[in-house]
Amino acid sequence: MSLLCLADFKAHAQKQLSKTSWDFIEGEADDGITYNDNMAAFKRIRLRPRYLRDVSKIDTRTTIQGQEINAPICISPTAFHSIAWADGEKSTAKAAQEANICYVISSYASYTVEDIVAAAPGGLHWFQLYVQPDWDINKQMVQRLEALGFKALVITVDVPVLGNRRGNKRNLLDLEANIMLKDLRSPGERKSGLPSPTSMPSTSFCWNDLPLLQSITRLPIILKGILTKEDAELAVKHNIRGIIVSNHGGRQLDEVPASIDALREVVAAVNGKIEVYMDGGVRTGNDVLKALALGARCIFLGRPIIWGLACKGEHGVKEVLDILKEELHTCMALSGCRSVSEISPDLIQFSRL
């Protein structure tokens, strides 16, 4: 069966997975208002193409934190990829390396960071750090990441507690218990015989703690989950290097703005001082162009990567990335943009629909 778009991958992936696994991957918080609006909000934006321009050559390359990537389409941190494919994050990392884009590895990956990096040693890797109450664990993790060549730390800020995910509860899936079992220590430390520390994120981590985090790493720190101008301004004030505008795919607090809607507010607030990215609801190349037109440096994909894994493993992830890149290439050509730098706000308008 030909899988021609991300919607095809979604439909096929659902057939490959158990109901419990599918509900975990797709699961939204509460009534799913934000989950659905993430996608619907893109459709409220219309394109304003410019014609009679030379589009014989299209260049989708860009940079993030000074690193070149082949397209402004990267991979968000999502947990437990082995739910969808046995090799899990190792397959995801290989596909990202082949595509020459950034992969943000989750704290709750199915494999150790050492195993994932070994599978794709030439890849551009960032790490999603859920800050732990035990700062010794945070420091040890940062040291491991720096030694392995990670290029940035992504601090997810919107999970002081887990959102109300009804699907998991109906399936009797205790996500908190699974997270508590995740051992964040290095392979060597696990052999020490000492009991594993719990790994739930700290509920007390706040702005005042950022200097301590910055003092233990030389890596740029990116905040994921910012949705307001007030927090964006605080990020700049605290010398944060980037923001991923995100509502956790509608899995945390329901009835917050769609990511693409919050993007405008955040971009305006930082006023070019730091890079801004976004995730949530991107399903087509048109969506990517709209996000870039609103000021995102690149977009990050969550669920579609898992769909690709469930369908074809590493090759499925690569196909998902290739489809989106090709759709962006076409959209750029049809809109009169020869390079990512030519994508500007005047290419879009907001529909009354």
Side-chain angles (χ1 to χ4, degrees):
M1 182 178 75
S2 296
L3 303 176
L4 303 178
C5 61
L6 270 57
D8 288 348
F9 272 89
K10 180 179 182 179
H12 191 60
Q14 185 170 7
K15 297 175 183 176
Q16 309 304 309
L17 298 169
S18 69
K19 182 179 184 301
T20 298
S21 294
W22 183 254
D23 288 350
F24 168 73
I25 292 164
E26 288 299 304
E28 70 275 17
D30 296 309
D31 294 325
I33 304 299
T34 298
Y35 167 84
N36 289 305
D37 201 34
N38 269 347
M39 292 163 282
F42 276 102
K43 307 314 172 190
R44 295 193 288 267
I45 302 172
R46 294 291 181 262
L47 300 173
R48 302 181 65 251
R50 299 296 307 278
Y51 295 124
L52 292 177
R53 291 180 170 180
D54 180 2
V55 290
S56 56
K57 294 181 180 179
I58 303 293
D59 186 359
T60 62
R61 291 175 300 171
T62 189
T63 61
I64 53 173
Q65 297 299 319
Q67 300 282 321
E68 185 174 277
I69 52 178
N70 281 359
I73 301 162
C74 298
I75 300 179
S76 288
T78 51
F80 309 129
H81 284 201
S82 61
I83 289 174
W85 191 261
D87 281 345
E89 291 83 2
K90 293 189 288 186
S91 291
T92 305
K94 290 176 183 177
Q97 177 178 270
E98 185 179 353
N100 190 32
I101 52 93
C102 178
Y103 172 27
V104 185
I105 297 170
S106 171
S107 283
Y108 304 121
S110 314
Y111 291 91
T112 66
V113 286
E114 288 80 5
D115 287 340
I116 298 168
V117 170
L124 174 57
H125 301 131
W126 293 0
F127 186 80
Q128 175 214 35
L129 179 67
Y130 281 112
V131 175
Q132 302 296 303
D134 186 336
W135 278 89
D136 285 338
I137 294 177
N138 294 324
K139 187 173 182 179
Q140 290 163 11
M141 176 59 81
V142 166
Q143 290 171 344
R144 286 168 65 193
L145 298 170
E146 290 180 347
L148 288 166
F150 279 77
K151 298 302 183 184
L153 289 179
V154 176
I155 310 301
T156 294
V157 301
D158 58 0
V159 191
V161 296
L162 288 174
N164 183 32
R165 304 175 194 177
R166 295 172 186 166
N168 291 341
K169 293 180 178 180
R170 291 190 181 102
N171 294 325
L172 303 179
L173 177 62
D174 190 342
L175 181 58
E176 185 166 320
N178 280 282
I179 290 174
M180 291 282 280
L181 291 171
K182 175 66 179 176
D183 193 337
L184 297 181
R185 297 174 299 173
S186 69
E189 292 167 335
R190 294 176 195 180
K191 296 175 182 177
S192 67
L194 296 173
S196 170
T198 60
S199 58
M200 285 300 295
S202 171
T203 56
S204 62
F205 182 69
C206 62
W207 292 103
N208 291 337
D209 296 312
L210 281 171
L212 176 56
L213 181 61
Q214 290 163 327
S215 74
I216 64 174
T217 183
R218 61 178 183 270
L219 297 176
I221 293 174
I222 316 295
L223 297 186
K224 178 178 180 289
I226 299 297
L227 293 171
T228 64
K229 69 179 182 66
E230 292 86 355
D231 280 345
E233 289 166 352
L234 281 169
V236 172
K237 180 180 178 181
H238 284 81
N239 298 313
I240 295 302
R241 294 281 293 277
I243 288 171
I244 302 177
V245 176
S246 172
N247 51 43
H248 219 97
R251 296 164 74 85
Q252 279 299 104
L253 179 62
D254 197 17
E255 301 184 54
V256 299
S259 295
I260 192 66
D261 289 337
L263 177 63
R264 287 183 290 169
E265 181 175 326
V266 171
V267 167
V270 305
N271 194 29
K273 296 183 179 72
I274 60 176
E275 293 185 356
V276 179
Y277 324 104
M278 67 83 64
D279 79 359
V282 174
R283 298 295 181 265
T284 68
N286 285 22
D287 293 342
V288 178
L289 186 138
K290 292 172 184 178
L292 269 56
L294 286 171
R297 188 80 181 178
C298 78
I299 65 92
F300 286 84
L301 287 177
R303 291 180 181 93
I305 297 301
I306 307 299
W307 304 339
L309 267 182
C311 293
K312 301 182 183 181
E314 172 190 343
H315 301 294
V317 174
K318 184 60 166 53
E319 284 186 33
V320 164
L321 294 170
D322 285 345
I323 286 170
L324 212 56
K325 180 182 176 183
E326 184 59 34
E327 289 179 350
L328 172 62
H329 186 284
T330 300
C331 186
M332 288 173 64
L334 292 175
S335 299
C337 298
R338 293 165 295 183
S339 66
V340 168
S341 63
E342 292 186 355
I343 300 174
S344 61
D346 62 5
L347 286 172
I348 58 172
Q349 66 183 31
F350 288 85
S351 169
R352 295 179 180 274
L353 296 178

